Amino acid sequence: MEAGSAVAGGLTAPVITHGEQANRRDVRSWVDAARNNNHLIRKTVETWLEQADRLFEEATQLKSEAGDINSWWKGWVTCSRFCLGRKAAKKNVDVQKHLGEGSKFGENNVSDPRPVQSYEPEPVGDFKTFASRAKTEFQVIAALKNDKISLVGIFGMPGVGKTMLMQAIMAQVKKEKLFDEFASVVVSQKPDLEKIQDAIAEKLDLKLKGELLSTRVAELRERLNQERKTLLCLDDVWEPMGLVEVGIPYKNAGNRCKVIFTTRIQGVCESMEMDEKIEVEVLSEVDSWNLFRSKAGGVVDLFKTVAGNIVKECKGLPLAIVTLGLALRNKDDIAVWDDTLARLKKSISEEMEPVNASIRLSYNFLQDETTKMCFLFCCMFPEDFQIPTDVLFGYMMGEKLIRDVDTFEEGRNRLQATVEKLTSAGLLLKGDYGGIMMHDVIRDVAVSIAKCKERNEFIVKAKMSLDELPDMELEKCKRLSLMNTEIRTTQPYTTISPKVISRLFRLEEFSGHLENLEFSSEKDASPWKKMTRFKILLGKHDIPGYWYLMERMESRRSLFLALSSISISILHLIQVLLPKTILLYLNCEGIENVLQLDKEVSFPNLRKLVVVDDVGSSRCYLPPSPIFHNLTDLDIEDCHKLKHLFPFRVFQHLSKLEVMYVARCSALEILFPNDSDMESGDIEKDKASHPLLKEFGLFHLPKLSSFSGSDSLVVDWPSAKSLIVLQCPNLKRLPLGTHSVPKLEKFYITDQEWFNKLEWDDQRIKADLQTLLEVKC
């Protein structure tokens, strides 16, 4: 009986089915997941949810009223029952119609990524409370509003708060909408032009395509020369910087692109020919006291005299005030305060800068050796480096500085607690992606402490350019940092002695680049069998995409091979590691196929395989047997001699495949040729099903003509969401079965005419794809 009909026995209330309720729940769960990932919910989705909630509420109310009438007028046909029945029927129609409209929503189309601009940093610390900063902030913003001014230099001594001022200015000009877009970049003492370009491009949602510096300069300049008003903030500039060499077109027509930069060296401002030079002065006495009190807590009221003297010794430098305030926070023993003041005065009398003296004292206040050593280890990384806590954990565990833990998980938790102590003390900063950073002034002090602590046990030469290894007593050195350092010499140090390796019986984790190895037998490599985590590059270090994969891939067991030949030593190590490897990156000139890596053909844990052959070596095919049953991600790029990928039966067995991309293989003609030994009567010979496959892409394959060479091939990808075919002009057929289309959300091509000429077994598939088709140039 239809909803809304009036009957003598009872009134039919609006019925909301489980499916309708599930539809609304699904959309809401997708919206919640998108919000958790900082996405912006589309207005149409928000409106749909609001209307769905309202309809459900009204339907529930009608159901309640129907229950009341049924209770009071059971068995009677009344005017109220008849009217309510009509409302119920109409409400059911409204609900079903509305929920039907919601069927167009999917998990990946309820939201859009939040623009990068919205992630610009807000002012940190207590900047807004500084009355003595108001004049400086006003001067900078006034200069930015002046159409005749393009380049503004902000200078001041270390620790005076230049970065804090920059962030406050950024927040204010965003609030006043003085610019259309913003980008803030840390330059540091040893600037890397490419990284600066990448950082600016990321903030502007620009993808730099060129590899040559000159090409990237032109791309960035063209982007910044557009009509939009742009503010670029360059923090911590140490020496005159050629903005034009980076691609920054400052002082252009109308000064639409403006630049502000901070430096501790006043002369840099003049050398860069700035239009306006503004000094960040120290805090006033009132602001200094208020900042100190906010950090040290109410206990300062008990010791106002000594506290006031400590603040005076900080000379109005916010960094000194903050670090000492946090170190003394809630210390209620007058002896501690008196001792701090005495030591601070002594350090300053020995010509130590107030900010350096305060940081050194804050270090001395750390309660245990583990926390102190954790602080010192952080200075071994280059300036402005985002330090991954996993890397720091390796050093701490390696020196047994994290004690009384039974598992690595317990050890990582202990390190995290230690890091929290240091950030609370103002000695470390929280960086991106869960990493940590050191303020450059604090790092300078940490380096000096490390050098003095135990002579020659800490040697820090990170991010330097050297003609040869520094003249130092390496035999006494326990901790040497040469990170990001260019050493123009011929690294006898690149060879790891088998005697060293064979002694590492407890080695569990290793990450790094090994160019040469000297294993005389499998026995030498046996200690590596115990490793549970590794990211190892064997061979040349400049392989395309390596650094991106090395840094971005979450895989705990990754092996990157970039070799011109396979020596016995390397083969021993590979055979130890391959059975554990999850990600394998293969770029080897002297290898024809992957089977040469392991005589036992054992890849039980392999999930992601990347094959690249950018130099055009002798690789002509991939392995001819189904050895990758557990593979979830397959990426084949720049293999210009590759004519076929692998036999069709191998493709059939990749049942766990989720992502597959083939790109820039200029000789590739057929993806999966039919096996010559496959029986002609086999009904499965032209079918393949990959129930988990979500993404499939073919890019720039000029000779590709067929998936398998068979006109009867059918592939079913019931979970596929993305299908991309770009620059494959000779491909005549997409062998998609009817089960490959239902969940498809993206279908990208480069040529509409190519699509129109494709051959189809089922025209319904073509019609379905036509609705999703997007032409990408």
Side-chain angles (χ1 to χ4, degrees):
M1 192 170 294
E2 293 185 1
S5 60
V7 296
L11 176 65
T12 302
V15 177
I16 299 174
T17 68
H18 290 298
E20 291 165 346
Q21 294 184 52
N23 191 353
R24 183 179 66 151
R25 283 198 305 269
D26 285 346
V27 176
R28 190 172 293 285
S29 67
W30 296 334
V31 166
D32 291 340
R35 285 199 175 111
N36 289 341
N37 285 284
N38 289 328
H39 280 213
L40 295 174
I41 308 304
R42 294 177 182 173
K43 187 63 179 176
T44 53
V45 178
E46 288 187 330
T47 302
W48 184 88
L49 271 177
E50 290 171 1
Q51 292 175 345
D53 290 342
R54 177 175 55 77
L55 287 171
F56 272 62
E57 186 178 341
E58 291 172 357
T60 303
Q61 180 63 28
L62 285 174
K63 184 176 181 181
S64 176
E65 293 177 14
D68 291 342
I69 290 177
N70 281 334
S71 175
W72 286 97
W73 302 99
K74 187 173 183 180
W76 293 86
V77 179
T78 66
C79 181
S80 297
R81 289 164 64 81
F82 182 74
C83 291
L84 194 61
R86 291 182 62 186
K87 284 184 181 180
K90 184 178 183 305
K91 190 59 61 182
N92 271 342
V93 171
D94 290 344
V95 169
Q96 291 167 11
K97 179 182 177 183
H98 187 70
L99 291 175
E101 294 172 355
S103 62
K104 65 184 179 183
F105 302 131
E107 183 177 359
N108 295 323
N109 64 355
V110 299
S111 64
D112 296 296
R114 188 178 295 274
V116 177
Q117 292 292 304
S118 61
Y119 292 107
E120 286 294 343
E122 294 297 322
V124 296
D126 306 83
F127 186 87
K128 285 296 180 183
T129 65
F130 298 165
S132 52
R133 284 286 190 266
K135 178 183 175 183
T136 310
E137 185 179 358
F138 177 81
Q139 284 179 297
V140 176
I141 293 178
L144 294 175
K145 289 180 179 178
N146 189 334
D147 291 338
K148 296 181 180 180
I149 291 178
S150 174
L151 183 60
V152 180
I154 300 172
F155 71 95
M157 66 176 67
V160 79
K162 298 182 293 296
T163 300
M164 202 185 298
L165 171 67
M166 179 90 85
Q167 292 175 345
I169 289 168
M170 288 274 286
Q172 186 61 30
V173 295
K174 283 179 69 175
K175 184 178 179 181
E176 295 185 27
K177 298 182 179 179
L178 299 180
F179 295 87
D180 300 314
E181 55 190 9
F182 309 82
S184 180
V185 180
V186 178
V187 176
S188 75
Q189 193 170 0
K190 298 288 182 182
D192 184 320
L193 295 189
E194 287 196 10
K195 287 187 177 180
I196 293 171
Q197 287 176 328
D198 288 336
I200 294 174
E202 181 180 348
K203 299 295 177 64
L204 300 178
D205 285 322
L206 168 67
K207 297 188 185 303
L208 294 173
K209 300 174 184 176
E211 294 185 4
L212 295 175
L213 183 62
S214 57
T215 307
R216 293 160 59 89
V217 166
E219 289 181 77
L220 190 56
R221 181 175 60 243
E222 183 179 356
R223 172 67 173 80
L224 292 171
N225 265 328
Q226 294 179 3
E227 293 297 319
R228 284 172 281 193
K229 296 181 67 176
T230 307
L231 176 62
L232 301 182
C233 302
L234 307 177
D235 194 21
D236 197 22
V237 178
W238 280 69
E239 55 189 33
M241 184 178 173
L243 300 182
V244 176
E245 296 173 6
V246 179
I248 300 174
Y250 74 110
K251 298 188 178 181
N252 57 359
N255 286 328
R256 291 186 300 274
C257 178
K258 296 197 175 189
V259 180
I260 58 176
F261 67 89
T262 69
T263 178
R264 60 177 67 179
I265 305 165
Q266 182 177 349
V268 171
C269 295
E270 283 84 4
S271 299
M272 289 183 64
E273 300 180 0
M274 79 296 142
D275 299 312
E276 187 86 7
K277 179 179 67 175
I278 298 170
E279 181 179 8
V280 181
E281 298 179 344
V282 297
L283 297 181
S284 67
E285 290 185 11
V286 173
D287 284 338
S288 296
W289 173 258
N290 289 336
L291 177 61
F292 183 79
R293 191 183 188 284
S294 71
K295 298 302 177 184
V299 71
V300 299
D301 295 329
L302 299 176
F303 315 121
K304 279 190 175 179
T305 300
V306 66
N309 288 330
I310 289 174
V311 172
K312 286 180 182 178
E313 294 296 337
C314 291
K315 306 294 191 243
L317 294 170
L319 185 59
I321 294 168
V322 168
T323 53
L324 267 184
L326 291 172
L328 290 166
R329 186 170 182 81
N330 296 328
K331 297 286 192 301
D332 56 3
D333 189 341
I334 185 61
V336 174
W337 288 77
D338 287 336
D339 180 60
T340 299
L341 177 59
R343 292 162 73 179
L344 186 59
K345 285 183 174 181
K346 182 179 180 181
S347 296
I348 294 174
S349 69
E350 294 174 353
E351 299 186 352
M352 185 181 291
E353 292 291 334
V355 67
N356 293 359
S358 66
I359 294 168
R360 187 178 285 270
L361 282 174
S362 297
Y363 166 81
N364 291 335
F365 270 112
L366 297 175
Q367 296 294 315
D368 56 85
E369 193 64 20
T370 297
T371 308
K372 288 183 176 180
M373 287 299 292
C374 181
F375 172 74
L376 295 181
F377 269 121
C378 289
C379 80
M380 300 189 72
F381 296 87
E383 186 177 297
D384 300 316
F385 191 86
Q386 295 267 357
I387 305 170
T389 51
D390 257 6
V391 175
L392 186 60
F393 173 74
Y395 294 139
M396 297 289 287
M397 285 294 290
E399 294 209 20
K400 298 182 179 179
L401 294 169
I402 299 178
R403 301 183 179 92
D404 301 324
V405 293
D406 296 323
T407 64
F408 271 20
E409 183 178 2
E410 287 182 19
R412 286 189 169 88
N413 292 339
R414 181 75 56 81
L415 175 64
Q416 193 58 43
T418 302
V419 167
E420 286 296 325
K421 289 180 186 177
L422 291 168
T423 54
S424 298
L427 295 174
L428 289 181
L429 302 172
K430 291 185 178 179
D432 299 329
Y433 312 112
I436 52 180
M437 295 181 66
M438 256 189 170
H439 188 288
D440 55 350
V441 177
I442 292 179
R443 180 180 176 274
D444 291 342
V445 176
V447 169
S448 69
I449 294 173
K451 286 180 179 178
C452 297
K453 184 175 176 61
E454 296 174 80
R455 187 169 179 80
N456 284 336
E457 289 196 355
F458 274 93
I459 298 178
V460 182
K461 300 289 182 182
K463 203 173 182 181
M464 299 181 73
S465 183
L466 306 171
D467 290 325
E468 58 184 16
L469 284 173
D471 184 16
M472 47 198 173
E473 299 178 67
L474 290 177
E475 66 276 6
K476 294 183 179 178
C477 176
K478 286 186 177 179
R479 307 168 190 99
L480 168 65
S481 174
L482 297 174
M483 287 185 65
N484 295 2
T485 295
E486 297 179 10
I487 303 178
R488 296 177 291 275
T489 184
T490 54
Q491 298 273 49
Y493 300 98
T494 58
T495 298
I496 298 180
S497 167
K499 293 181 180 179
V500 174
I501 296 297
S502 61
R503 292 172 185 163
L504 302 178
F505 290 111
R506 301 181 65 185
L507 190 63
E508 295 181 39
E509 299 187 13
F510 182 85
S511 177
H513 168 215
L514 303 175
E515 189 170 346
N516 297 312
L517 286 171
E518 291 183 0
F519 290 137
S520 58
S521 66
E522 291 185 29
K523 184 179 179 181
D524 286 336
S526 60
W528 296 70
K529 290 182 179 179
K530 296 183 179 180
M531 280 204 296
T532 57
R533 287 182 179 225
F534 53 87
K535 283 188 179 181
I536 300 174
L537 167 61
L538 283 175
K540 59 184 181 180
H541 70 277
D542 57 345
I543 58 177
Y546 160 69
W547 291 113
Y548 174 83
L549 284 170
M550 188 76 166
E551 293 175 5
R552 300 287 181 180
M553 289 301 296
E554 293 298 321
S555 174
R556 293 180 298 172
R557 300 192 293 275
S558 304
L559 187 59
F560 299 81
L561 302 181
L563 305 164
S564 57
S565 62
I566 298 291
S567 67
I568 295 297
S569 294
I570 289 176
L571 188 60
H572 289 326
L573 181 60
I574 290 175
Q575 288 174 346
V576 167
L577 295 180
L578 269 182
K580 301 179 181 181
T581 299
I582 294 175
L583 164 64
L584 175 61
Y585 182 111
L586 182 61
N587 186 332
C588 302
E589 300 172 24
I591 298 180
E592 290 188 356
N593 67 71
V594 185
L595 294 183
Q596 287 181 253
L597 302 179
D598 190 353
K599 59 187 178 183
E600 300 298 329
V601 194
S602 176
F603 298 81
N605 290 297
L606 197 64
R607 299 292 184 272
K608 180 175 178 67
L609 173 63
V610 180
V611 181
V612 178
D613 189 6
D614 58 298
V615 296
S617 68
S618 59
R619 186 181 299 108
C620 300
Y621 57 92
L622 291 180
S625 57
I627 60 175
F628 301 125
H629 291 176
N630 292 319
L631 209 63
T632 62
D633 198 324
L634 177 61
D635 191 353
I636 301 164
E637 302 177 16
D638 298 299
C639 296
H640 297 296
K641 292 192 177 183
L642 197 68
K643 292 186 177 181
H644 309 136
L645 292 189
F646 37 70
F648 183 67
R649 59 188 169 88
V650 176
F651 183 60
Q652 285 179 310
H653 283 91
L654 298 179
S655 60
K656 296 181 180 179
L657 198 65
E658 297 180 12
V659 178
M660 179 172 177
Y661 290 113
V662 185
R664 300 178 303 280
C665 298
S666 57
L668 191 67
E669 297 174 359
I670 297 176
L671 296 179
F672 319 111
N674 285 326
D675 296 12
S676 58
D677 59 344
M678 187 172 277
E679 295 183 14
S680 58
D682 190 348
I683 61 173
E684 297 297 322
K685 70 174 182 178
D686 287 334
K687 291 185 180 180
S689 178
H690 300 100
L692 304 179
L693 188 114
K694 297 181 178 64
E695 301 176 25
F696 185 88
L698 302 174
F699 305 87
H700 301 278
L701 306 172
K703 292 188 178 180
L704 182 66
S705 60
S706 173
F707 268 59
S708 74
S710 170
D711 292 336
S712 58
L713 172 66
V714 175
V715 294
D716 279 327
W717 298 330
S719 300
K721 294 186 177 182
S722 172
L723 175 62
I724 304 173
V725 184
L726 303 182
Q727 299 293 348
C728 300
N730 288 310
L731 187 61
K732 298 178 177 60
R733 182 172 176 267
L734 293 179
L736 301 176
T738 54
H739 297 300
S740 296
V741 180
K743 293 187 178 181
L744 206 62
E745 297 171 1
K746 297 178 183 178
F747 178 46
Y748 296 156
I749 65 170
T750 46
D751 188 348
Q752 177 72 55
E753 186 177 349
W754 169 83
F755 178 77
N756 295 337
K757 292 180 179 178
L758 285 175
E759 300 170 2
W760 301 95
D761 294 332
D762 190 336
Q763 291 296 320
R764 291 176 299 176
I765 297 177
K766 179 180 180 180
D768 289 338
L769 290 177
Q770 182 73 57
T771 62
L772 296 170
L773 186 149
E774 288 189 39
V775 178
K776 300 285 186 180
C777 296

